[in-house]
């Protein structure tokens, strides 16, 4: 892939434009080349010194006379030298007769040796030194998957007539449940950090019919688990004029397929570096009713929700029975879903809601929603929720909101399962949890 931004930066002293390390193999041998990157590794041998330069596209080898003084690993440098063919060098080309200039102060010794092929370190070190540990090619590849997934997500929805929206993160009322909200001081009043864009995406289908949002959401999770963060990236979708939740599930299927396509198209190198097998997204994701899910998981029939162990059992079942990494569970008990979920008109004990389980963990929640004002008033009453805090949201349903539904995907959960990370924090750039507010 060519990167046109490389052409933009031209050295004022040499007049040479920058060559990315990935483009070095195509350089004309004998021509002068200018690289910029980090000192990835220095290797002093008896007769020669090797410098490996790392930039965003890869690594390049520079050959220098023995005894050449070089800035320490992780110092940003510029290298001007002669492109020289060498079968042993990465891509068959290296730089010789080179001048190395540091572009910043000599870097401190990193907490882990980033030039090693794998990043063998415990989670605390990985997270405490995130700004440098993310530089490791295997670590960076994980975020490349996230970024490519986001592109696939947006491209799929853009092609289907969705409008991207951004909703407030400072809100008056908890959207998901009262328990896990962060309260903040808002000019002397109490406000909350948004747990989801739920209320806004529903109001905005009244404007745009089909909306999506990519943004941070906040959950004051009191438990220290491997799958919960206090702040995560939610990929929210909401669409109007649906018959039922099945139409929403079909949209979800396309979105997940689009995220995989995004990875294949934009992060193929990361997939290869990590040696990943991407999930196959079938035309129709295996779908079971909540009751059946309990049976498969060996749970009592009156269990109100699926536990992480049940989800793992369902993941194993989907793989064994359908060869699928994905399984949809629909029809959760209405009483245990969010109040805005639409009950099944045939049997209101069950709801028109669903979860998508990916490799044994809940990745997505969604549902058809209530769309009539009176249904909201009744549901709030039945649940014993006060009306006043929900008034502006609920009253929007007096002004013509069509039947609609939607879902939300947790980005970190997605990438976590793609790379089969034991802990969601490993795929989060700067995780926030019960104990961590820095870096
Ligand atoms: P829910 O609360 O189930 O649904 O969240 C949707 C998805 O977000 C991810 N997720 C989390 N990821 C990391 N850390 C957390 N603490 C965390 N909590 C949730 C999961 C989950 O499946 N408004 C509804 C969605 C909707 O109906 O449209 C909602 O937020 O992957």
């Amino acid at each position: 892939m060519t990167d046109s931004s490389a052409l933009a930066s031209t050295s004022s002293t040499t007049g040479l434009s920058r060559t990315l390390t990935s483009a070095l193999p195509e350089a004309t041998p004998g021509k002068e080349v200018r690289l910029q990157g980090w000192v990835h590794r220095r290797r002093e041998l008896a007769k020669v010194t090797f410098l490996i330069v790392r930039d965003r596209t890869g690594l390049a080898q520079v050959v220098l006379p023995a005894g050449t003084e070089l800035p320490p690993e992780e110092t940003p440098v510029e290298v001007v030298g002669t492109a020289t063919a060498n079968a042993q060098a990465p891509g068959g080309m290296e730089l010789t007769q080179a001048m190395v200039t540091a572009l910043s102060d000599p870097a401190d010794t990193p907490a882990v040796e980033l030039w090693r092929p794998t990043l063998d370190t415990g989670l605390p070190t990985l997270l405490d030194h995130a700004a440098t540990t993310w530089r490791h090619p295997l670590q960076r590849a994980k975020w490349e998957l996230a970024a490519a997934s986001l592109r696939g997500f947006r491209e799929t929805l853009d092609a289907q007539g969705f409008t991207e929206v951004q909703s407030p993160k400072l809100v008056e009322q908890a959207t998901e449940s009262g328990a896990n909200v962060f309260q903040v001081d808002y000019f002397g009043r109490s406000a909350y950090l948004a747990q989801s864009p739920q209320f806004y995406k529903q109001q905005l289908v009244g404007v745009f019919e089909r909306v999506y949002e990519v943004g941070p959401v906040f959950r004051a999770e009191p438990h220290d688990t491997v799958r919960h963060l206090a702040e995560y990236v939610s990929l929210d979708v909401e669409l109007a004029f649906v018959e039922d939740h099945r139409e929403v599930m079909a949209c979800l299927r396309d979105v997940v397929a689009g995220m995989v396509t995004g990875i294949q198209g934009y992060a193929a190198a990361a997939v290869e570096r990590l040696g990943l097998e991407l999930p196959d997204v079938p035309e129709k994701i295996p779908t079971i009713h909540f009751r059946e899910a309990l049976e498969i998981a060996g749970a009592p029939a009156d269990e109100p929700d699926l536990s992480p162990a049940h989800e793992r059992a369902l993941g194993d079942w989907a793989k064994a029975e359908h060869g699928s990494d994905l399984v949809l569970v629909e029809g959760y008990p209405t009483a245990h879903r969010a109040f805005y979920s639409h009950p099944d008109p045939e049997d209101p004990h069950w709801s028109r809601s669903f979860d998508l389980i990916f490799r044994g963990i809940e990745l997505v929640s969604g549902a058809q929603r209530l769309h009539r004002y009176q249904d909201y008033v009744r549901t709030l009453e039945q649940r014993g929720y006060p009306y006043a805090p929900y008034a502006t949201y609920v009253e929007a349903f007096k002004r013509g909101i069509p039947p609609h539904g939607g879902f939300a995907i947790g980005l970190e959960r997605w990438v976590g399962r793609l790379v089969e990370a034991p802990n969601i924090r490993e795929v989060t750039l700067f995780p926030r949890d019960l104990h961590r507010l820095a870096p």
Side-chain angles (χ1 to χ4, degrees):
M1 207 188 307
T2 58
D3 191 328
S4 57
S5 65
L7 304 173
S9 106
T10 306
S11 163
S12 53
T13 46
T14 61
L16 277 176
S17 62
R18 178 183 179 192
T19 296
L20 291 168
T21 58
S22 57
L24 185 60
E26 280 90 63
T28 314
K31 276 268 156 56
E32 228 180 21
V33 164
R34 177 171 157 252
L35 301 176
Q36 288 181 318
W38 287 263
V39 175
H40 188 62
R41 194 178 182 194
R42 300 168 295 178
R43 277 178 69 211
E44 274 284 341
L45 303 185
K47 293 194 177 139
V48 41
T49 297
F50 286 111
L51 163 64
I52 307 296
V53 176
R54 184 188 74 242
D55 67 12
R56 67 179 188 272
T57 63
L59 304 172
Q61 178 167 292
V62 183
V63 187
L64 298 147
T68 309
E69 289 254 342
L70 289 172
E73 272 75 16
E74 295 312 309
T75 306
V77 288
E78 169 166 303
V79 185
V80 177
T82 307
T84 308
N86 175 1
Q88 260 96 63
M93 193 75 74
E94 63 190 10
L95 248 58
T96 58
Q97 295 168 299
M99 268 274 297
V100 180
T101 314
L103 298 177
S104 187
D105 298 335
D108 283 356
T109 307
V112 286
E113 289 176 314
L114 295 171
W115 53 265
R116 291 197 182 274
T118 56
L119 198 47
D120 296 322
T121 181
L123 192 60
T125 307
L126 192 77
L127 303 183
D128 287 344
H129 301 277
T132 38
T133 51
W134 273 103
R135 294 179 186 184
H136 191 280
L138 289 181
Q139 189 60 11
R140 206 181 54 205
K142 296 175 189 167
W143 186 259
E144 288 166 8
L145 298 177
S149 301
L150 289 177
R151 289 177 75 176
F153 175 82
R154 288 191 163 101
E155 283 174 6
T156 306
L157 293 165
D158 290 345
Q160 294 191 15
F162 281 77
T163 300
E164 180 163 1
V165 297
Q166 287 292 322
S167 65
K169 301 303 156 219
L170 281 166
V171 296
E172 201 177 14
Q173 182 55 33
T175 50
E176 299 307 323
S177 81
N180 58 353
V181 285
F182 286 108
Q183 201 169 359
V184 296
D185 172 46
Y186 189 70
F187 304 118
R189 295 164 54 189
S190 179
Y192 302 102
L193 294 181
Q195 291 166 299
S196 75
Q198 185 65 35
F199 292 0
Y200 293 99
K201 64 176 179 172
Q202 286 188 261
Q203 293 177 65
L204 287 169
V205 295
V207 180
F208 300 105
E209 290 188 24
R210 305 180 143 209
V211 295
Y212 70 87
E213 175 165 350
V214 175
V217 296
F218 305 90
R219 305 279 172 102
E221 300 287 352
H223 311 294
D224 211 351
T225 82
V226 297
R227 56 195 234 155
H228 288 97
L229 297 163
E231 176 178 349
Y232 68 92
V233 179
S234 183
L235 312 189
D236 271 87
V237 173
E238 201 73 17
L239 59 155
F241 300 108
V242 297
E243 288 287 328
D244 57 21
H245 65 295
R246 292 273 173 95
E247 229 175 297
V248 183
M249 282 157 49
C251 173
L252 170 60
R253 183 262 156 213
D254 289 351
V255 166
V256 176
M259 289 166 75
V260 173
T261 306
I263 294 173
Q264 288 162 337
Y266 301 119
V271 172
E272 200 185 311
R273 231 180 296 152
L274 291 164
L276 294 187
E277 198 167 316
L278 293 177
D280 249 346
V281 183
E283 265 321 300
K284 182 155 183 346
I285 296 174
T287 303
I288 51 175
H289 192 272
F290 179 76
R291 278 176 308 224
E292 207 184 332
L294 289 182
E295 263 174 50
I296 292 169
D302 59 353
E303 196 82 354
D305 203 353
L306 297 175
S307 70
H310 297 151
E311 288 171 7
R312 277 194 295 278
L314 289 167
D316 293 343
W317 173 84
K319 196 74 187 169
E321 291 294 313
H322 297 276
S324 176
D325 286 320
L326 299 153
V327 54
L328 275 160
V329 180
E330 62 178 353
Y332 285 73
T334 307
H336 294 278
R337 292 298 273 205
F339 71 94
Y340 47 76
S341 310
H342 201 299
D344 182 345
E346 311 266 288
D347 181 355
H349 174 75
W350 308 109
S351 63
R352 285 186 166 176
S353 65
F354 57 86
D355 274 8
L356 176 64
I357 295 169
F358 173 38
R359 293 181 178 164
I361 176 171
E362 176 204 317
L363 171 69
V364 183
S365 276
Q368 183 186 351
R369 326 294 188 184
L370 299 174
H371 63 281
R372 294 176 205 278
Y373 172 70
Q374 280 305 336
D375 289 343
Y376 276 95
V377 174
R378 197 175 326 112
T379 305
L380 289 176
E381 248 174 45
Q382 279 166 358
R383 296 204 180 201
Y385 294 179
Y387 182 84
Y390 297 100
T392 59
Y393 163 60
V394 166
E395 283 172 18
F397 294 96
K398 281 182 179 173
R399 298 181 199 105
I401 300 290
H404 65 283
F407 56 86
I409 306 172
L411 179 66
E412 295 82 353
R413 288 230 184 137
W414 166 246
V415 180
R417 293 321 294 145
L418 280 177
V419 304
E420 308 202 357
N423 192 318
I424 194 170
R425 288 159 185 78
E426 284 177 28
V427 299
T428 308
L429 286 176
F430 296 102
R432 292 288 173 265
D433 63 26
L434 203 52
H435 310 290
R436 190 171 286 276
L437 196 53

